[in-house]
PDB file of all heavy atoms in Angstrom:
ATOM      1  N   PHE A 257     -48.266   5.949   6.042  1.00 68.00           N
ATOM      2  CA  PHE A 257     -47.137   5.642   5.156  1.00 68.00           C
ATOM      3  C   PHE A 257     -46.608   6.904   4.491  1.00 68.00           C
ATOM      4  O   PHE A 257     -45.387   7.145   4.458  1.00 68.00           O
ATOM      5  CB  PHE A 257     -47.579   4.626   4.097  1.00 68.00           C
ATOM      6  CG  PHE A 257     -46.582   4.454   2.979  1.00 68.00           C
ATOM      7  CD1 PHE A 257     -45.357   3.837   3.202  1.00 68.00           C
ATOM      8  CD2 PHE A 257     -46.862   4.929   1.706  1.00 68.00           C
ATOM      9  CE1 PHE A 257     -44.443   3.686   2.176  1.00 68.00           C
ATOM     10  CE2 PHE A 257     -45.944   4.781   0.677  1.00 68.00           C
ATOM     11  CZ  PHE A 257     -44.727   4.154   0.915  1.00 68.00           C
ATOM     12  N   PHE A 258     -47.487   7.749   3.960  1.00 67.00           N
ATOM     13  CA  PHE A 258     -47.044   8.959   3.268  1.00 67.00           C
ATOM     14  C   PHE A 258     -46.409   9.962   4.243  1.00 67.00           C
ATOM     15  O   PHE A 258     -45.434  10.633   3.904  1.00 67.00           O
ATOM     16  CB  PHE A 258     -48.220   9.612   2.526  1.00 67.00           C
ATOM     17  CG  PHE A 258     -48.531   8.957   1.223  1.00 67.00           C
ATOM     18  CD1 PHE A 258     -49.751   8.316   1.018  1.00 67.00           C
ATOM     19  CD2 PHE A 258     -47.607   8.969   0.181  1.00 67.00           C
ATOM     20  CE1 PHE A 258     -50.037   7.698  -0.188  1.00 67.00           C
ATOM     21  CE2 PHE A 258     -47.895   8.365  -1.036  1.00 67.00           C
ATOM     22  CZ  PHE A 258     -49.100   7.722  -1.222  1.00 67.00           C
ATOM     23  N   VAL A 259     -46.973  10.031   5.456  1.00 65.00           N
ATOM     24  CA  VAL A 259     -46.436  10.975   6.435  1.00 65.00           C
ATOM     25  C   VAL A 259     -45.027  10.582   6.880  1.00 65.00           C
ATOM     26  O   VAL A 259     -44.145  11.423   7.026  1.00 65.00           O
ATOM     27  CB  VAL A 259     -47.384  11.087   7.650  1.00 65.00           C
ATOM     28  CG1 VAL A 259     -46.716  11.857   8.793  1.00 65.00           C
ATOM     29  CG2 VAL A 259     -48.675  11.771   7.248  1.00 65.00           C
ATOM     30  N   ARG A 260     -44.816   9.275   7.114  1.00 68.00           N
ATOM     31  CA  ARG A 260     -43.539   8.815   7.654  1.00 68.00           C
ATOM     32  C   ARG A 260     -42.581   8.252   6.598  1.00 68.00           C
ATOM     33  O   ARG A 260     -41.518   7.743   6.947  1.00 68.00           O
ATOM     34  CB  ARG A 260     -43.790   7.730   8.710  1.00 68.00           C
ATOM     35  CG  ARG A 260     -44.678   8.155   9.862  1.00 68.00           C
ATOM     36  CD  ARG A 260     -44.203   9.483  10.478  1.00 68.00           C
ATOM     37  NE  ARG A 260     -42.871   9.390  11.017  1.00 68.00           N
ATOM     38  CZ  ARG A 260     -42.608   9.085  12.291  1.00 68.00           C
ATOM     39  NH1 ARG A 260     -43.613   8.855  13.134  1.00 68.00           N
ATOM     40  NH2 ARG A 260     -41.373   9.021  12.710  1.00 68.00           N
ATOM     41  N   ARG A 261     -42.925   8.366   5.328  1.00 66.00           N
ATOM     42  CA  ARG A 261     -42.059   7.782   4.303  1.00 66.00           C
ATOM     43  C   ARG A 261     -40.693   8.460   4.233  1.00 66.00           C
ATOM     44  O   ARG A 261     -39.690   7.859   3.843  1.00 66.00           O
ATOM     45  CB  ARG A 261     -42.749   7.870   2.934  1.00 66.00           C
ATOM     46  CG  ARG A 261     -42.021   7.009   1.902  1.00 66.00           C
ATOM     47  CD  ARG A 261     -42.531   7.204   0.511  1.00 66.00           C
ATOM     48  NE  ARG A 261     -41.702   6.451  -0.428  1.00 66.00           N
ATOM     49  CZ  ARG A 261     -41.664   6.669  -1.720  1.00 66.00           C
ATOM     50  NH1 ARG A 261     -42.419   7.609  -2.244  1.00 66.00           N
ATOM     51  NH2 ARG A 261     -40.889   5.947  -2.494  1.00 66.00           N
ATOM     52  N   LYS A 262     -40.638   9.734   4.647  1.00 67.00           N
ATOM     53  CA  LYS A 262     -39.357  10.440   4.626  1.00 67.00           C
ATOM     54  C   LYS A 262     -38.327   9.752   5.537  1.00 67.00           C
ATOM     55  O   LYS A 262     -37.118   9.874   5.319  1.00 67.00           O
ATOM     56  CB  LYS A 262     -39.549  11.880   5.057  1.00 67.00           C
ATOM     57  CG  LYS A 262     -40.085  12.037   6.485  1.00 67.00           C
ATOM     58  CD  LYS A 262     -40.297  13.492   6.844  1.00 67.00           C
ATOM     59  CE  LYS A 262     -40.830  13.601   8.274  1.00 67.00           C
ATOM     60  NZ  LYS A 262     -41.101  15.009   8.656  1.00 67.00           N
ATOM     61  N   ASP A 263     -38.834   9.009   6.569  1.00 65.00           N
ATOM     62  CA  ASP A 263     -37.911   8.292   7.462  1.00 65.00           C
ATOM     63  C   ASP A 263     -37.190   7.156   6.740  1.00 65.00           C
ATOM     64  O   ASP A 263     -36.093   6.765   7.148  1.00 65.00           O
ATOM     65  CB  ASP A 263     -38.676   7.718   8.661  1.00 65.00           C
ATOM     66  CG  ASP A 263     -39.260   8.809   9.540  1.00 65.00           C
ATOM     67  OD1 ASP A 263     -38.781   9.959   9.443  1.00 65.00           O
ATOM     68  OD2 ASP A 263     -40.190   8.525  10.329  1.00 65.00           O
ATOM     69  N   THR A 264     -37.817   6.605   5.715  1.00 66.00           N
ATOM     70  CA  THR A 264     -37.218   5.471   5.011  1.00 66.00           C
ATOM     71  C   THR A 264     -36.518   5.874   3.719  1.00 66.00           C
ATOM     72  O   THR A 264     -35.592   5.200   3.281  1.00 66.00           O
ATOM     73  CB  THR A 264     -38.293   4.424   4.670  1.00 66.00           C
ATOM     74  OG1 THR A 264     -39.252   5.009   3.764  1.00 66.00           O
ATOM     75  CG2 THR A 264     -38.997   3.947   5.918  1.00 66.00           C
ATOM     76  N   LYS A 265     -36.965   6.969   3.119  1.00 65.00           N
ATOM     77  CA  LYS A 265     -36.435   7.352   1.815  1.00 65.00           C
ATOM     78  C   LYS A 265     -34.923   7.602   1.883  1.00 65.00           C
ATOM     79  O   LYS A 265     -34.154   7.087   1.061  1.00 65.00           O
ATOM     80  CB  LYS A 265     -37.152   8.601   1.308  1.00 65.00           C
ATOM     81  CG  LYS A 265     -36.751   8.985  -0.108  1.00 65.00           C
ATOM     82  CD  LYS A 265     -37.558  10.182  -0.591  1.00 65.00           C
ATOM     83  CE  LYS A 265     -37.162  10.558  -2.014  1.00 65.00           C
ATOM     84  NZ  LYS A 265     -37.917  11.742  -2.495  1.00 65.00           N
ATOM     85  N   GLU A 266     -34.476   8.379   2.890  1.00 65.00           N
ATOM     86  CA  GLU A 266     -33.046   8.677   3.008  1.00 65.00           C
ATOM     87  C   GLU A 266     -32.255   7.411   3.315  1.00 65.00           C
ATOM     88  O   GLU A 266     -31.153   7.215   2.799  1.00 65.00           O
ATOM     89  CB  GLU A 266     -32.818   9.719   4.103  1.00 65.00           C
ATOM     90  CG  GLU A 266     -31.353  10.127   4.232  1.00 65.00           C
ATOM     91  CD  GLU A 266     -31.140  11.172   5.303  1.00 65.00           C
ATOM     92  OE1 GLU A 266     -32.136  11.780   5.769  1.00 65.00           O
ATOM     93  OE2 GLU A 266     -29.975  11.377   5.688  1.00 65.00           O
ATOM     94  N   LEU A 267     -32.830   6.539   4.147  1.00 61.00           N
ATOM     95  CA  LEU A 267     -32.134   5.301   4.488  1.00 61.00           C
ATOM     96  C   LEU A 267     -31.961   4.416   3.263  1.00 61.00           C
ATOM     97  O   LEU A 267     -30.920   3.781   3.083  1.00 61.00           O
ATOM     98  CB  LEU A 267     -32.903   4.551   5.582  1.00 61.00           C
ATOM     99  CG  LEU A 267     -32.258   3.250   6.075  1.00 61.00           C
ATOM    100  CD1 LEU A 267     -30.885   3.527   6.681  1.00 61.00           C
ATOM    101  CD2 LEU A 267     -33.142   2.562   7.093  1.00 61.00           C
ATOM    102  N   PHE A 268     -32.978   4.338   2.413  1.00 64.00           N
ATOM    103  CA  PHE A 268     -32.867   3.522   1.201  1.00 64.00           C
ATOM    104  C   PHE A 268     -31.791   4.086   0.265  1.00 64.00           C
ATOM    105  O   PHE A 268     -31.031   3.336  -0.352  1.00 64.00           O
ATOM    106  CB  PHE A 268     -34.207   3.454   0.473  1.00 64.00           C
ATOM    107  CG  PHE A 268     -35.227   2.587   1.166  1.00 64.00           C
ATOM    108  CD1 PHE A 268     -36.570   2.676   0.852  1.00 64.00           C
ATOM    109  CD2 PHE A 268     -34.837   1.682   2.135  1.00 64.00           C
ATOM    110  CE1 PHE A 268     -37.504   1.871   1.487  1.00 64.00           C
ATOM    111  CE2 PHE A 268     -35.763   0.882   2.780  1.00 64.00           C
ATOM    112  CZ  PHE A 268     -37.098   0.977   2.470  1.00 64.00           C
TER     113      PHE A 268
END
Side-chain angles (χ1 to χ4, degrees):
F257 168 69
F258 280 116
V259 169
R260 303 310 299 267
R261 192 188 174 198
K262 62 182 180 182
D263 295 341
T264 63
K265 186 176 180 181
E266 183 179 346
L267 182 61
F268 287 163

